[in-house]
Amino acid sequence: MAENLAQEIRDQEALAKSIVANAKAEAAKMLAAAQTEAEQSVKSTKQQCHRQWRERVAAADQEAEARAGEITAKGEADAKLFYEKKKNETKEVADWLVREVMAAYGSR
């Protein structure tokens, strides 16, 4: 009976060692899978953030282009208006200048 009991204890110890070894192996697999999943999640999130950043930059660029076009068009309109307004004043000054020169020097 003592030998049977000793053998049964050895068998149970071997079984326990096997269970512990299997549990460690399974834990290592689970840890590796979790690390891989975490790495993939980080990679995916980085890619998504970069994509969103590129989209925002592109949208801001388009908005800036549109705004620059509006500002340029307004500037051109203002410049034309200024030119038309000053064109008449320039003609008056040129006529006055010609009269003054003619009066001072004649039409030699």
Side-chain angles (χ1 to χ4, degrees):
M1 184 160 142
E3 192 171 304
N4 285 343
L5 184 60
Q7 184 60 40
E8 190 174 331
I9 291 173
R10 283 192 292 274
D11 291 343
Q12 290 300 320
E13 285 177 347
L15 181 63
K17 284 181 182 179
S18 173
I19 290 173
V20 169
N22 288 339
K24 284 182 179 181
E26 188 65 28
K29 287 180 188 176
M30 291 172 66
L31 180 62
Q35 285 175 337
T36 301
E37 184 180 341
E39 289 169 0
Q40 289 295 339
S41 178
V42 167
K43 180 180 175 183
S44 173
T45 302
K46 283 182 180 180
Q47 288 174 342
Q48 181 182 3
C49 288
H50 187 67
R51 186 173 39 257
Q52 287 176 350
W53 175 78
R54 280 195 326 257
E55 289 170 359
R56 287 180 183 169
V57 167
D61 192 35
Q62 289 176 346
E63 184 180 333
E65 259 322 298
R67 184 78 176 114
E70 292 172 6
I71 292 169
T72 302
K74 183 180 182 313
E76 287 175 354
D78 289 347
K80 285 180 183 178
L81 181 64
F82 179 79
Y83 171 76
E84 291 299 324
K85 192 166 126 179
K86 294 299 179 179
K87 183 170 73 171
N88 292 331
E89 291 176 16
T90 305
K91 185 176 179 184
E92 292 172 11
V93 171
D95 288 344
W96 171 81
L97 186 59
V98 168
R99 283 193 310 270
E100 289 294 317
V101 169
M102 293 299 286
Y105 297 106
S107 61
R108 316 188 221 165

